[in-house]
Amino acid sequence: MLRRQILTGVGAAALALAAVPALAQETVKVGLILPMTGPSASTGRQIEAGARLWMAQHGDMVAGKKIQLIIKDDTGAADQSKRLATELVVNDKVAVLGGFGLTPLALSVGPVATQAKVPAVIMAAGTSTIVATSPYFVRTSFTLPQNTAPMAQWSAANGIKTVVTLVSDYGPGLDSEKAFKAEFEAKGGKVIESLRAPLATPEFAAFLQKAKDLKPDALFLFVPSGQGASLMKQVNERELAKAGIKIIGTGDVTDDDQLNGMGDALIGMITSHNYSAAHDSPENKAYVSAFLKATNNMRPNFMSVGGYDGMALIYKALDKTKGDTDGAKLLDAMKGVSWTSPRGPMSIDATTRDITQNVYIREVKKVDGQLYNVEFATIANVKGSN
Ligand code: VNL
């Protein structure tokens, strides 16, 4: 009798247990805040496509939990980013925040992440100091000092003695200007003028005329993703190259998202950057072809890998915590992780939570009738910040 009761009891408990996963299959929500409309919409599109491709390739289950991706459009306005972050944390109870298309948008979310103890993965913004503003920030994009210093080294080593810099007048532009000058002058070059164009008015004529009049060996350019085509059109109209001025910059200017439409005048332009769609590796070949297929032929740019690798980092962290979504544990699990991305080897520095990755020197070339940034030199394992 007693034995039968026990057996019945065990049977009931087993049934109850078996019912649990079906009833409470836990969902882990990941909330990406991106500029899906407005002047930086291409950044939102690229990051969303990268994140969705990662999930399409790796499934939506990690450590027994179902991953749900939520995308919110901040239109590129910092007050919207902050409001959406608060809503995602309070109402949706997201385990991880991510995205952040521009520096001011990332900065506005930092205090929300800190207060809620929710990891926030920076997939786009590139000002070096952002990660240090919240202990919950990690970065899978790039920093401007990281991407710029190799360009200054290459310039100094390749006969360029004087440079004018022209950058967008906000965080990443100022970072880029500073890094170029420090590195170039340490190697014996001279920055003879540092020009800054307002971020919101992509009207460069007056600055380009000034640069032309100064007759430097080279003009170094940085504008954020989405503004390269308009800048390069104006550069070409002013005929700086014909005046003997070499045009150089970061890869934000020769962005894969727009490069092919910029025209053959760009052939030969040298830039430095962390990603090119032409990066020659098996991982990248597979990435580019899957991305083109998934997006009706949108060429992936450097923003897309920020989203793809951002999801990779979140999956790896959840794997390590065995599905535990405690913010501090997830963040801890992200520190020191390394893997091979379509961009090449990358890791999250355990101390700074910033990205360490290769930076490549590239030349715009025509390959199979299309313009690409073809890499020809690698500076390995460059730290995002110190
Ligand atoms: C930023 C830096 C944005 C580099 C970018 O494109 C970029 C930023 C929107 O930190 O705001 O290419």
Side-chain angles (χ1 to χ4, degrees), residues 226-265:
Q227 290 196 8
S230 136
L231 170 61
M232 289 312 297
K233 183 165 179 283
Q234 295 178 53
V235 167
N236 295 337
E237 281 165 4
R238 297 260 141 195
E239 301 194 312
L240 275 88
K242 267 195 201 141
I245 301 168
K246 204 166 169 56
I247 308 298
I248 56 176
T250 64
D252 307 80
V253 178
T254 57
D255 186 348
D256 272 302
D257 193 72
Q258 296 185 324
L259 177 63
N260 209 25
M262 291 189 201
D264 288 0

Side-chain angles (χ1 to χ4, degrees), residues 40 43 101-104 124-127 142 144 170 172 222-225 252 302-303:
S40 297
T43 293
L102 294 140
T103 290
T127 302
F142 52 85
L144 267 302
Y170 79 121
F222 164 79
V223 289
S225 184
D252 307 80
F302 60 104
M303 294 301 187

